[in-house]
Amino acid sequence: MSELYHLNEFILNRLSDENLQVNLIVEEIFVNIVNYSKTEFITVNVDYSNQTLTLEFIDNGIEFNPLLKEDPTLPDNIDEAQIGGLGIFLTKEMADELYYHYKDGKNHLKIIKKVE
């Protein structure tokens, strides 16, 4: 997972301030792709301009549209919380815009987040 560290370092170095939400989004999406997609590669395109960060994750794993994943039922208290299953939900909540498409055998997930 050293690639995840390098990816986060690369992205956060472009921002004027460390952004924990961006860090969490990158980690959740990257780990989900690695653990579940059976991909051979992950490409991440990064653009930062006008206080807007655009990330596009591209992989050749199993076709999966995370935007169609049903949101989990949140527990009433932390003691009832189960580990896992919240990454996509948190990403949906924190991102300003999300887009997905599958083309030429590749998943494309674009995440747009306003940052300062």
Side-chain angles (χ1 to χ4, degrees):
M1 284 294 184
S2 66
E3 294 86 0
L4 176 58
Y5 170 80
H6 293 297
L7 176 61
N8 263 327
E9 184 177 46
F10 175 83
I11 293 167
L12 294 176
N13 280 338
R14 271 119 192 98
L15 304 179
S16 59
D17 191 11
E18 184 172 328
N19 191 305
L20 295 178
Q21 286 189 351
V22 169
N23 193 7
L24 183 60
I25 288 170
V26 170
E27 183 174 334
E28 292 296 337
I29 298 303
F30 188 88
V31 169
N32 278 347
I33 293 170
V34 168
N35 287 338
Y36 302 112
S37 75
K38 298 183 180 179
T39 190
E40 297 169 349
F41 69 86
I42 302 171
T43 300
V44 183
N45 297 322
V46 179
D47 179 58
Y48 178 60
S49 59
N50 300 321
Q51 296 184 319
T52 300
L53 178 67
T54 302
L55 304 167
E56 183 178 23
F57 290 82
I58 303 168
D59 70 82
N60 69 339
I62 299 166
E63 182 178 357
F64 176 69
N65 183 346
L67 306 182
L68 298 179
K69 182 170 175 36
E70 191 171 313
D71 292 342
T73 302
L74 299 177
D76 292 330
N77 64 59
I78 193 72
D79 294 329
E80 296 174 7
Q82 295 181 358
I83 295 174
L86 292 177
I88 293 171
F89 172 74
L90 291 172
T91 298
K92 287 184 200 178
E93 291 293 308
M94 291 185 283
D96 293 298
E97 297 176 54
L98 289 167
Y99 303 97
Y100 171 85
H101 69 275
Y102 188 79
K103 182 178 179 183
D104 298 328
K106 296 180 184 88
N107 294 289
H108 295 255
L109 178 63
K110 184 179 281 189
I111 302 165
I112 300 172
K113 172 84 176 141
K114 300 209 181 299
V115 293
E116 298 191 21

